[in-house]
Amino acid sequence: MPWRNGQPDAMIPPGETIGILGGGQLGRMLALAAAQLGYRCHVYAPEHDSIAADVCAQFTRAAWDDAGALARFAADCAVVTYEFENVPVGPLAHLAPVPLLPAAKALEVGQDRLTEKHFITNLGGTTAPFAVVDTLEDLVAAVETIGAPGILKTRREGYDGKGQWRIMTAHEVDGFVLTGQPLVYEGFVNFSAEFSVILCRSSDGNVVFWDSAENVHKGGILATSTVPASAAVLAQVASARELAARIATALGYVGVLACEFFATDKGPVFNEMAPRVHNSGHWTIEGALTSQFENHIRAICGLPLGDPALAATGVEMKNLIGDDVHDWAQILSDPANHLHLYGKAAARPGRKMGHVTRLVL
Ligand code: AMP
C-alpha cells in the first residue's frame, strides 16, 4: 500500500483489513460499518471477552505494550485505527510502517486533561478555569484562586465521571487525601446545556459535521443525546464547530473527532475531546444519511466522505445502562425504536449495555 506522511496516498480497497485497537462497543459498531463496505477487521485488545472481536474476522488478545504482538497485528492490516483513547502511545511505534489514523498526536493531546486544556486555549478556545494539582497545597491554592464549587479530576484515564471529585466548599479540601496521581482542578461551569460537535476529516482536509446533539449526563455518564438541540445550544454551534475544525487541522486529523461543550451565557466552553467515534453520535446510525462509524471508515481508507445530514425531523438516543437492558422486548414493541445491544455478558451499575435510537419522522 503506498503511503505518504503516514496517510493513504490511494484508497484502501474493500477486501483489505482494518486494524482496530480496543475491543468495546465502539469497535463493534466500527467493524459493522466496515463490513458493509467490504472490509474485514482485526481487533487488538488486552481483554479476553471483546464484544468487538465477536463481529470481526480476527482478534489478537495481547497487552498494549507487547511490541511483537503489535508488529504482527499491523502486518495483517492496511491501516490501524482505535476506538479507545487511553491506548499507551509509546508502543504504537511498533505498528510502523502501517499507518495509524487518527495519528498518535491526537491520543497524546487527548489523554492528559492538562495538555488538552493548554492545546485548546492555545487555539483560542475557552475552557473551565483550571489549575494543576500535584499536592494538597496545590489544591488549597487552586480552590482559593478558582473558587468552589469545582471538580478535581485525574489528568489521565478518567471517563464516564470516574476519577472525579466534586468540591462544593473550600472547607472540604481539609479532609482530602491525595494519592499522588497528577490531577487538575476545574472551576464549575454554570451551563444551560451540554452538547457535542462531531466532525469527520478526510486525509485531503475535507471536513463534515453532524448536527450537534444536546447531551444529558446522569452521574457523569451520558444518558441521552437529542437532535435537534435546543435554541440555546443551536446559537453556539457555529462557534464550537469553528474551534473543533481548528483542533482537527492542528492535529492533521483523519477520521471522526468528538468535542464536548458546555453552552453558557458567554458562549461555548470546551469540556473535552475524544479522538474517536463517540457515544453522543450513536444516533447517526439511523438518524443521519451517513453514520459517524461509516464516515470514520471512509476517512481512514481514503474514500470520499458521505453526507452527514439529518435523515429525520428529530432523533433521540437513550443509553441502556446497567439493568436498563432488561426492557429490550418492551423497547422493540414500539416500531419507532431501533435497539442496539452490545452483547456484554454482565450488567453492572454504570455499564453501557446498549442504546435505543428513536426517530421522529
Ligand atoms: P467529563 O468526564 O469531564 O466529561 O465530565 C463528565 C460530566 O461531568 C460532564 O459531562 C458534565 O456534566 C460534568 N462536568 C465535568 N466538568 C465540569 C465542570 N467543570 N463544570 C460543570 N460540570 C462539569
Side-chain angles (χ1 to χ4, degrees):
M1 190 60 52
W3 299 103
R4 190 181 51 205
N5 302 327
Q7 296 189 6
D9 210 15
M11 77 164 199
I12 295 172
E16 292 278 354
T17 298
I18 297 169
I20 301 175
L21 298 166
Q25 65 265 20
L26 301 177
R28 184 179 171 102
M29 288 183 270
L30 277 172
L32 293 173
Q36 183 191 321
L37 289 168
Y39 296 100
R40 61 193 291 285
C41 288
H42 184 159
V43 164
Y44 185 109
E47 66 268 14
H48 58 83
D49 56 347
S50 161
I51 55 165
D54 286 348
V55 301
C56 286
Q58 218 170 329
F59 177 35
T60 295
R61 183 191 170 207
W64 291 126
D65 60 356
D66 185 333
L70 283 166
R72 284 190 296 279
F73 162 73
D76 183 45
C77 301
V79 62
V80 175
T81 189
Y82 43 89
E83 61 100 71
F84 174 61
E85 69 273 34
N86 287 320
V87 180
V89 173
L92 298 178
H94 298 290
L95 298 173
V98 175
L100 177 71
L101 294 175
K105 176 98 188 328
L107 287 172
E108 277 165 12
V109 171
Q111 283 179 357
D112 184 332
R113 289 188 190 275
L114 185 68
T115 311
E116 183 179 88
K117 287 180 197 307
H118 285 305
F119 181 74
I120 297 304
T121 50
N122 285 339
L123 287 175
T126 305
T127 66
F130 63 93
V132 188
V133 173
D134 291 325
T135 63
L136 195 57
E137 292 74 53
D138 291 342
L139 179 59
V140 171
V143 175
E144 210 169 273
T145 316
I146 293 171
I151 309 187
L152 187 62
K153 298 181 178 180
T154 53
R155 275 173 56 179
R156 304 183 79 91
E157 305 225 333
Y159 67 97
D160 283 349
K162 294 188 180 76
Q164 299 192 5
W165 300 269
R166 288 194 179 210
I167 296 178
M168 301 313 289
T169 65
H171 303 298
E172 283 174 34
V173 172
D174 300 339
F176 260 78
V177 180
L178 301 183
T179 60
Q181 267 176 301
L183 302 161
V184 60
Y185 180 72
E186 282 181 28
F188 200 83
V189 177
N190 206 349
F191 58 83
S192 59
E194 291 186 74
F195 67 102
S196 42
V197 169
I198 304 184
L199 63 75
C200 186
R201 186 171 184 271
S202 63
S203 54
D204 57 9
N206 179 30
V207 175
V208 298
F209 295 93
W210 283 269
D211 282 57
S212 275
E214 182 154 339
N215 302 322
V216 174
H217 293 82
K218 287 192 183 140
I221 304 176
L222 183 68
T224 60
S225 291
T226 305
V227 177
S230 60
V233 166
L234 290 177
Q236 309 205 351
V237 167
S239 151
R241 279 186 178 183
E242 209 188 296
L243 176 63
R246 250 180 285 147
I247 295 168
T249 305
L251 293 171
Y253 201 90
V254 177
V256 168
L257 170 72
C259 297
E260 293 184 80
F261 290 91
F262 302 119
T264 76
D265 54 10
K266 294 188 186 69
V269 171
F270 174 94
N271 177 24
E272 62 179 1
M273 70 178 210
R276 53 165 169 77
V277 287
H278 194 255
N279 193 171
S280 66
H282 290 2
W283 66 268
T284 63
I285 296 175
E286 293 89 6
L289 295 180
T290 312
S291 76
Q292 60 166 347
F293 301 101
E294 180 175 341
N295 261 348
H296 185 78
I297 297 296
R298 289 188 189 212
I300 64 169
C301 291
L303 303 176
L305 300 184
D307 187 347
L310 195 59
T313 311
V315 193
E316 186 180 64
M317 188 285 310
K318 181 177 180 294
N319 269 336
L320 300 175
I321 295 169
D323 280 342
D324 289 351
V325 74
H326 294 309
D327 289 339
W328 63 267
Q330 195 205 330
I331 291 165
L332 286 176
S333 70
D334 183 337
N337 285 337
H338 296 271
L339 177 63
H340 296 252
L341 293 177
Y342 304 148
K344 293 183 184 176
R348 286 194 299 269
R351 194 172 198 205
K352 291 174 180 168
M353 304 300 289
H355 70 268
V356 188
T357 301
R358 194 182 166 77
L359 299 188
V360 181
L361 295 172

